[in-house]
Amino acid sequence: MERVHSRLCKRCGRCCQEVHGSLEATPEDIARWRSQHRKDILSRVCVLLPGYVADLWFDPISGEELDYCPFLRKVGRKIYECTIYETRPEQCRDWLCVLCYGSTSFKEGETVMVGTKEYKVSNLESCPECNNRKRCICRKHEFVSIQWLENYVKEYY
């Protein structure tokens, strides 16, 4: 298998310092944070209607929406880390950093890193193992469609 796009995160922090568009938490993210008693995270989330996506990140005192992630911490001269990495939002786990690839074109059969996991790129519109059409990415079977990747790049870059 050709592995043109399988580069690891450089930990530059740009994805968290320069939030592109609206960041959202899924109902599963909210439920997980509640079960983990993560008031530090929940205090920075705006849940308008329970059971739907919620907007991220807000200043808990002023209520102003932030244009950066408050859970990013600088640990070196140009190195950053996520302080909520193990429980970060689904949208962050699915982050595709084009900066790591230097290209925005994707080919059938190659591998890309989405978040910190490798996915096999396909022309199919749903996972061939389970027909999962959820955003055309399947974590269980490590599948991602070219269409999802192209839409992602258009939206964020």
Side-chain angles (χ1 to χ4, degrees):
M1 175 188 304
E2 185 182 7
R3 299 177 71 91
V4 174
H5 291 300
S6 61
R7 296 191 188 130
L8 294 174
C9 174
K10 295 173 172 54
R11 296 178 58 194
C12 69
R14 286 182 58 188
C15 56
C16 303
Q17 293 171 344
E18 303 169 12
V19 176
H20 301 282
S22 177
L23 242 104
E24 298 174 339
T26 64
E28 294 80 13
D29 290 329
I30 302 297
R32 183 176 66 253
W33 296 331
R34 284 186 176 141
S35 72
Q36 295 172 345
H37 307 287
R38 295 300 305 259
K39 291 180 183 176
D40 59 327
I41 299 172
L42 292 167
S43 70
R44 295 180 172 276
V45 177
C46 179
V47 180
L48 299 175
L49 293 171
Y52 294 91
V53 295
D55 286 337
L56 304 173
W57 300 111
F58 289 82
D59 181 303
I61 297 169
S62 71
E64 295 285 323
E65 188 171 11
L66 303 173
D67 59 358
Y68 62 91
C69 177
F71 299 103
L72 181 69
R73 180 175 64 197
K74 190 172 185 176
V75 294
R77 187 165 173 253
K78 293 183 180 181
I79 305 293
Y80 294 82
E81 71 179 11
C82 174
T83 61
I84 61 168
Y85 185 81
E86 294 301 321
T87 192
R88 68 196 184 281
E90 182 177 326
Q91 190 170 359
C92 297
R93 290 192 307 268
D94 289 347
W95 181 255
L96 173 73
C97 183
V98 174
L99 299 171
C100 291
Y101 303 127
S103 171
T104 58
S105 62
F106 305 95
K107 296 182 178 89
E108 173 84 26
E110 66 188 356
T111 302
V112 296
M113 291 292 293
V114 179
T116 57
K117 191 172 181 182
E118 289 187 344
Y119 289 81
K120 185 176 179 182
V121 176
S122 175
N123 285 321
L124 299 174
E125 292 183 16
S126 64
C127 175
E129 299 290 326
C130 63
N131 275 339
N132 179 358
R133 294 183 139 256
K134 182 183 176 189
R135 299 183 319 170
C136 298
I137 184 169
C138 179
R139 285 192 192 94
K140 182 177 180 183
H141 298 109
E142 299 172 350
F143 161 88
V144 64
S145 75
I146 289 175
Q147 186 62 49
W148 183 86
L149 290 167
E150 289 175 351
N151 288 341
Y152 185 94
V153 169
K154 285 178 193 172
E155 184 176 345
Y156 292 102
Y157 295 94

